[in-house]
Amino acid sequence: MARPLFALVCALLTVIVAHNPAGASPEGNTLLQRAVVADDATSYTGTLTSVVYTSDRAESTVVNIDHLAPSQWRIWYVAPADAYGRLIVSNETVTYQYEPSANKVYANNWSASALALGDALDTERVEKNYAAQVGAETSVAGRSAHILTMTSKHSGTLVERLWIDDQTNLILRREIYHADGTIASKMSFDNVRTVKTLPKELFNLSIPARMTLVPGATYATKAASDVEATSALTFTVVRPKFLPEGFALAHESLGTHDAVQTLQIVYDDGLRDFSLFENATGRIPKFDNGAPHPIAVGDQDGFYSEAGNETIVSWNAGGLNLTLVGDLPAKELSAIGASLKP
């Protein structure tokens, strides 16, 4: 249920647009507006390093990126060793993830792969919850840039910091922070070069001989309404009665995860989000981010694990398994979970 690692790598390529929220300087809003469309007009090639911090280690990923504006992408993994040779090619409609070691090509959904730069965003929610302010002039990968900070209007805490190229408005570096101010993840170009064009064959969406095309790791299709999402369920859905300030329902979807019918409900505040997964197994899922820690969720015993800026909290109640995954600390997810009453 945690996002795949390449999602964090490619997250650098996505930024939220804000339209003059109160407390944000006009320069900050203008810079955000330019940054969100920068890669639609700018072709480039570069090397990107991502680091995700866990409680006891830092996990690094290095990829080479070729981008032909407005929508062609080629992302090739250099590190870590177990990901070397992985290749993602996308035109933002079709996304193929090539895994040479398995002789398979996964046909992923662009949005589910966290590569979608064109998803509709609730800009009013961003405006309501965040202030964007331009900071000091600096440089990244030898290019002049300005720092842009995204600060919560509710808590006053710094949530993200972006380094935006002065010439192209591309995001050159991004840092995401925990609620206590410690860094959760960072992504930065080691080198980047703008180009006028790139060879079209780099972005060829084909299936090589001896490789098999298989469905990818997409979770589920977004439902048009909550009625559509829940009509086929065999259990009664529960929804939180408490949400952190600024958060609201984004969408719901129904899918099958490990052969189990599961509902996913997504909430966000325009910049951060969390998902509530519900199924009728009454079983705690496997934690892929190390040994889980015990945590109380209301009057239920649960478990949590953290990886970078993501936290997973899972518990059983009323015959259901309930799991929260998101950009919030365990204590806050536990408070949300305590408001769920199956």
PDB file of all heavy atoms in Angstrom, residues 157-158 177-183 329:
ATOM      1  N   THR A 157       3.872  25.400  10.258  1.00  0.00           N
ATOM      2  CA  THR A 157       5.044  24.555  10.009  1.00  0.00           C
ATOM      3  C   THR A 157       5.393  24.531   8.533  1.00  0.00           C
ATOM      4  O   THR A 157       4.534  24.601   7.648  1.00  0.00           O
ATOM      5  CB  THR A 157       4.790  23.115  10.483  1.00  0.00           C
ATOM      6  OG1 THR A 157       3.639  22.595   9.806  1.00  0.00           O
ATOM      7  CG2 THR A 157       4.561  23.072  11.977  1.00  0.00           C
ATOM      8  N   LEU A 158       6.694  24.404   8.274  1.00  0.00           N
ATOM      9  CA  LEU A 158       7.189  24.264   6.914  1.00  0.00           C
ATOM     10  C   LEU A 158       6.917  22.841   6.438  1.00  0.00           C
ATOM     11  O   LEU A 158       7.320  21.874   7.083  1.00  0.00           O
ATOM     12  CB  LEU A 158       8.694  24.563   6.884  1.00  0.00           C
ATOM     13  CG  LEU A 158       9.412  24.317   5.558  1.00  0.00           C
ATOM     14  CD1 LEU A 158       8.892  25.249   4.471  1.00  0.00           C
ATOM     15  CD2 LEU A 158      10.917  24.488   5.738  1.00  0.00           C
ATOM     16  N   TYR A 177       9.206  17.799   4.633  1.00  0.00           N
ATOM     17  CA  TYR A 177       9.533  17.773   6.051  1.00  0.00           C
ATOM     18  C   TYR A 177       8.435  17.127   6.890  1.00  0.00           C
ATOM     19  O   TYR A 177       7.255  17.191   6.558  1.00  0.00           O
ATOM     20  CB  TYR A 177       9.769  19.203   6.552  1.00  0.00           C
ATOM     21  CG  TYR A 177      10.858  19.918   5.804  1.00  0.00           C
ATOM     22  CD1 TYR A 177      10.553  20.706   4.698  1.00  0.00           C
ATOM     23  CD2 TYR A 177      12.197  19.789   6.171  1.00  0.00           C
ATOM     24  CE1 TYR A 177      11.546  21.355   3.990  1.00  0.00           C
ATOM     25  CE2 TYR A 177      13.198  20.438   5.469  1.00  0.00           C
ATOM     26  CZ  TYR A 177      12.866  21.216   4.374  1.00  0.00           C
ATOM     27  OH  TYR A 177      13.861  21.848   3.658  1.00  0.00           O
ATOM     28  N   HIS A 178       8.863  16.506   7.981  1.00  0.00           N
ATOM     29  CA  HIS A 178       7.931  16.010   8.984  1.00  0.00           C
ATOM     30  C   HIS A 178       7.340  17.193   9.751  1.00  0.00           C
ATOM     31  O   HIS A 178       7.843  18.324   9.688  1.00  0.00           O
ATOM     32  CB  HIS A 178       8.655  15.102   9.984  1.00  0.00           C
ATOM     33  CG  HIS A 178       9.126  13.810   9.395  1.00  0.00           C
ATOM     34  ND1 HIS A 178       8.271  12.881   8.878  1.00  0.00           N
ATOM     35  CD2 HIS A 178      10.382  13.288   9.271  1.00  0.00           C
ATOM     36  CE1 HIS A 178       8.966  11.830   8.451  1.00  0.00           C
ATOM     37  NE2 HIS A 178      10.247  12.059   8.673  1.00  0.00           N
ATOM     38  N   ALA A 179       6.296  16.912  10.531  1.00  0.00           N
ATOM     39  CA  ALA A 179       5.651  17.960  11.325  1.00  0.00           C
ATOM     40  C   ALA A 179       6.599  18.566  12.349  1.00  0.00           C
ATOM     41  O   ALA A 179       6.434  19.724  12.748  1.00  0.00           O
ATOM     42  CB  ALA A 179       4.409  17.401  12.019  1.00  0.00           C
ATOM     43  N   ASP A 180       7.618  17.797  12.796  1.00  0.00           N
ATOM     44  CA  ASP A 180       8.564  18.321  13.779  1.00  0.00           C
ATOM     45  C   ASP A 180       9.719  19.079  13.144  1.00  0.00           C
ATOM     46  O   ASP A 180      10.645  19.499  13.839  1.00  0.00           O
ATOM     47  CB  ASP A 180       9.107  17.183  14.662  1.00  0.00           C
ATOM     48  CG  ASP A 180       9.895  16.145  13.870  1.00  0.00           C
ATOM     49  OD1 ASP A 180      10.061  16.307  12.636  1.00  0.00           O
ATOM     50  OD2 ASP A 180      10.361  15.167  14.486  1.00  0.00           O
ATOM     51  N   GLY A 181       9.685  19.253  11.833  1.00  0.00           N
ATOM     52  CA  GLY A 181      10.705  20.023  11.142  1.00  0.00           C
ATOM     53  C   GLY A 181      11.857  19.213  10.597  1.00  0.00           C
ATOM     54  O   GLY A 181      12.685  19.743   9.851  1.00  0.00           O
ATOM     55  N   THR A 182      11.948  17.931  10.939  1.00  0.00           N
ATOM     56  CA  THR A 182      13.009  17.081  10.400  1.00  0.00           C
ATOM     57  C   THR A 182      12.687  16.705   8.959  1.00  0.00           C
ATOM     58  O   THR A 182      11.526  16.640   8.552  1.00  0.00           O
ATOM     59  CB  THR A 182      13.193  15.812  11.249  1.00  0.00           C
ATOM     60  OG1 THR A 182      11.952  15.095  11.277  1.00  0.00           O
ATOM     61  CG2 THR A 182      13.614  16.173  12.663  1.00  0.00           C
ATOM     62  N   ILE A 183      13.721  16.431   8.195  1.00  0.00           N
ATOM     63  CA  ILE A 183      13.528  16.146   6.780  1.00  0.00           C
ATOM     64  C   ILE A 183      13.065  14.710   6.575  1.00  0.00           C
ATOM     65  O   ILE A 183      13.558  13.776   7.208  1.00  0.00           O
ATOM     66  CB  ILE A 183      14.826  16.433   5.987  1.00  0.00           C
ATOM     67  CG1 ILE A 183      14.550  16.359   4.482  1.00  0.00           C
ATOM     68  CG2 ILE A 183      15.953  15.486   6.411  1.00  0.00           C
ATOM     69  CD1 ILE A 183      15.683  16.914   3.639  1.00  0.00           C
ATOM     70  N   PRO A 329       1.969  12.243  10.780  1.00  0.00           N
ATOM     71  CA  PRO A 329       2.593  11.431  11.831  1.00  0.00           C
ATOM     72  C   PRO A 329       1.624  10.395  12.383  1.00  0.00           C
ATOM     73  O   PRO A 329       0.404  10.525  12.273  1.00  0.00           O
ATOM     74  CB  PRO A 329       2.985  12.466  12.892  1.00  0.00           C
ATOM     75  CG  PRO A 329       2.103  13.646  12.639  1.00  0.00           C
ATOM     76  CD  PRO A 329       1.839  13.659  11.164  1.00  0.00           C
TER      77      PRO A 329
END
